[in-house]
Amino acid sequence: MLENLGMIGVSWRQGGTESLASFTLSDDAAAERLAAFRRELDLGEVAYLATCNRVELIFTRTDVTPGRDLRRQAFALLTGRPPAPGEAERRLRAWQGEGAAEHLFLIAAGLDSACVGETEIVAQVRGSYERAVELGLAGPALDLVFGEALRIAARVRGETGIGEGRVSLAEIAVDLVRERIRKTPGAVALLGVSPMTERAALALAPSRIPLYVVNRTAAKAEAFAARYGIEHLSLEAFRAAPPAVEAILSATGSQQPVLTAADLERLAAATGSGRPPLIVDMAIPPDADPAECERAGVPRVGMDDITRRAEQNRAARLVQAAQAREQVDLALAELRDRFAQRYYGPLFGTLQRRYRVTAQEGVKRLLKKELKGLGEEERAAIEAWTEALARRFAHIPCVGLRGLLYGGPEGSVEAFLSGLDPEFAGELREALNRGKVAADGRGAARAGGEATRAAGAATRADGEASRADGEGTRADGEAARAGGEATPAGGEGTRANGEAVPDTAATAPAPKRRRAGAESRS
């Protein structure tokens, strides 16, 4: 269920953007460490999101996950060391249940970014989920939550003005580069092949500013250069004999600085203007050590500076984001319903099937005795009407049961089951267990997607009642046309149809708004 969803993370708000470096997992280590994290804590599913503004863990608990606050374990995973007393609680924030889903939705929509409405975040959220799938760490719960997050992100950008203007950190970085080139015309080097440098190339290439793309892997640099018609160099060649560049925009994924003190001296000596080049460093951890840049007299703008520039218009943009926030709230309500449908679908399907089987057995006995003289057409009409009526009778307890599941006190469902005969109650408990397996990401992620298929089956089972309304209407009409002894039955069917509320229109009481799962700061 949604209550099992959790998030733990750190953002630029806690110590600045460049402090995130100590919480960032390298690509090489991420797979093994995330798998160990899930295994040691008996988690169902795990995803890892790292951007310029934040590092987040998104996960689902199981019945055997130890403890409620996992920040100490998350701190050890991300930093590679155990936290000092109270350190994890100070540095990391935690969200649970609906609060976790809301946090992910706000991130994907760009509403929790330093640059409100930023465009890069959508691709980063999608990449986080795709990486979890690739590593076998994602299952049906994260599939549903990430899918909803990406859907609401698209809706927010399509229906609001949140994405207008300078809403990309890359755009802010490009503005800094342009400002330098206006003062000292010359070439620009893009270090790394990444979404940030792609956006920079897309923005700068039409201006006919000479561009170099530099990358550790020469083949990637060559392919990048071909897309934009620019020059390319390997990182090794660039460091050994740098061309004359007035600005460098860097965004590699290296865990260590890629420009040493000696590299900075060579770059400063090579400029045509005689001034040291500007380094716009968008990498986390930084590609150019701030202290080395200061010693070499090379001006450097890091992510903290870029984030501060982005925050200057944050307050004004948040006012414009009111409509986007409303979209997030609507998506949360839809997500609660979808989780409940996945979890409880088998229960409703089993309840409906039991009513149909009971009705079918009764009408067969009736047609063998009291109504054995009916013709084939009348018999078919009565059988069809009985099927529809059984589904309508099953609809009534389904509506009540939905109300208990969504908004009833704890123990409501068990109280309902205890009033049934033991055999029927056992069937429904078994159906509940199937729904739990379908919604438990741990089983799905480790069993090759079986839970995903089960969840689909549960959704189809829960949808049978909706289809039954259409069948019931047709069946009532057939019974009425059949005449003879089938006519009274048809009349009863018509009255039942008038009294019952179709499943497509009936809804359970609105789910209670639970805010207790929001951010934990203790």
Side-chain angles (χ1 to χ4, degrees):
M1 289 295 291
L2 186 56
E3 289 77 10
N4 293 330
L5 182 69
M7 284 188 71
I8 294 174
V10 59
S11 76
W12 87 97
R13 296 184 182 93
Q14 291 90 49
T17 300
E18 295 185 15
S19 69
L20 297 176
S22 60
F23 293 95
T24 304
L25 296 178
S26 67
D27 290 341
D28 294 338
E32 182 179 347
R33 290 170 69 174
L34 289 171
F37 183 69
R38 184 183 73 167
R39 183 174 59 252
E40 292 166 4
L41 295 179
D42 284 302
L43 298 173
E45 309 170 37
V46 180
Y48 167 74
L49 171 65
T51 77
C52 298
N53 289 160
R54 67 186 65 255
V55 175
E56 308 276 356
L57 291 169
I58 308 98
F59 56 88
T60 60
R61 298 170 180 272
T62 65
D63 292 341
V64 292
T65 299
R68 184 165 184 83
D69 190 349
L70 304 181
R71 281 180 287 182
R72 289 183 60 83
Q73 296 90 330
F75 186 98
L77 162 71
L78 295 173
T79 65
R81 65 173 178 84
E87 185 179 13
E89 291 78 8
R90 288 194 304 271
R91 297 299 304 276
L92 300 179
R93 297 292 179 263
W95 296 263
Q96 186 69 24
E98 185 179 315
E102 178 182 50
H103 184 54
L104 182 61
F105 287 5
L106 292 173
I107 290 172
L111 298 179
D112 195 56
S113 300
C115 185
V116 176
E118 64 159 309
T119 53
E120 292 93 354
I121 189 63
V122 177
Q124 291 164 335
V125 170
R126 182 181 294 109
S128 169
Y129 172 67
E130 290 174 349
R131 178 64 168 156
V133 171
E134 179 185 333
L135 296 176
L137 299 176
L142 291 191
D143 175 67
L144 182 56
V145 173
F146 272 90
E148 288 295 302
L150 293 170
R151 186 177 63 82
I152 191 60
R155 183 190 295 176
V156 163
R157 283 166 173 77
E159 299 180 10
T160 73
I162 194 68
E164 296 175 357
R166 283 287 186 263
V167 295
S168 164
L169 296 177
E171 290 172 337
I172 294 173
V174 167
D175 284 346
L176 292 168
V177 171
R178 285 197 178 110
E179 184 179 342
R180 170 58 187 261
I181 297 304
R182 281 196 294 269
K183 296 176 181 177
T184 59
V188 175
L190 305 175
L191 264 63
V193 174
S194 68
M196 294 294 190
T197 52
E198 288 269 5
R199 290 185 66 85
L202 189 64
L204 294 171
S207 304
R208 299 188 180 278
I209 297 172
L211 296 176
Y212 295 91
V213 61
V214 179
N215 198 64
R216 191 182 304 276
T217 305
K220 288 185 178 181
E222 184 177 0
F224 185 112
R227 288 196 293 274
Y228 299 101
I230 61 179
E231 299 293 324
H232 63 89
L233 289 168
S234 70
L235 179 60
E236 183 180 5
F238 180 80
R239 293 175 61 186
V245 294
E246 293 296 320
I248 299 166
L249 192 154
S250 185
T252 78
S254 174
Q255 293 296 298
Q256 302 294 331
V258 297
L259 297 177
T260 66
D263 298 331
L264 295 173
E265 291 176 2
R266 283 191 287 271
L267 285 163
T271 60
S273 66
R275 296 174 56 183
L278 169 69
I279 296 180
V280 180
D281 192 347
M282 303 190 72
I284 302 291
D287 284 336
D289 183 82
E292 295 289 355
C293 288
E294 185 175 359
R295 279 192 289 270
V298 175
R300 175 187 177 275
V301 178
M303 280 306 301
D304 279 346
D305 300 309
I306 294 172
T307 300
R308 277 193 289 270
R309 290 171 183 262
E311 284 192 286
Q312 289 175 359
N313 69 346
R314 176 179 169 82
R317 194 172 292 280
L318 280 175
V319 173
Q320 302 171 12
Q323 185 181 357
R325 175 67 228 209
E326 182 180 353
Q327 297 281 9
V328 169
D329 288 340
L330 291 173
L332 282 171
E334 294 171 4
L335 183 67
R336 289 195 299 272
D337 289 343
R338 293 187 65 183
F339 260 95
Q341 184 183 51
R342 172 173 287 176
Y343 193 94
Y344 297 119
L347 173 66
F348 296 132
T350 299
L351 187 63
Q352 291 155 5
R353 282 192 294 273
R354 179 64 177 260
Y355 269 80
R356 291 202 304 272
V357 169
T358 301
Q360 288 167 357
E361 291 173 348
V363 81
K364 284 180 181 178
R365 289 194 297 270
L366 187 65
L367 292 174
K368 285 182 179 179
K369 296 180 180 180
E370 289 86 346
L371 301 180
K372 63 181 180 180
L374 292 180
E376 290 299 321
E377 186 175 350
E378 289 87 351
R379 294 168 70 92
I382 287 180
E383 288 173 347
W385 170 80
T386 301
E387 171 84 4
L389 188 60
R391 293 186 182 184
R392 281 176 167 74
F393 283 157
H395 168 81
I396 297 171
C398 280
V399 169
L401 191 53
R402 277 193 179 99
L404 292 178
L405 294 170
Y406 278 52
E410 188 173 352
S412 299
V413 177
E414 186 56 37
F416 172 84
L417 296 177
S418 65
L420 304 175
D421 72 80
E423 180 184 355
F424 189 22
E427 289 181 24
L428 294 180
R429 287 191 179 94
E430 183 181 348
L432 270 174
N433 288 334
R434 290 200 305 273
K436 183 177 181 181
V437 170
D440 184 357
R442 183 186 183 193
R446 297 183 183 180
E450 290 181 8
T452 303
R453 293 191 291 273
T459 302
R460 290 192 295 274
D462 197 30
E464 287 181 6
S466 296
R467 292 193 295 273
D469 288 321
E471 295 174 11
T473 302
R474 291 193 295 273
D476 287 338
E478 292 173 8
R481 288 193 299 272
E485 293 188 42
T487 303
E492 293 296 324
T494 302
R495 287 195 294 276
N497 188 38
E499 293 169 3
V501 181
D503 277 345
T504 52
T507 57
K512 296 179 179 178
R513 178 73 169 170
R514 293 182 175 90
R515 304 295 299 177
E519 183 176 349
S520 168
R521 297 180 181 272
S522 60

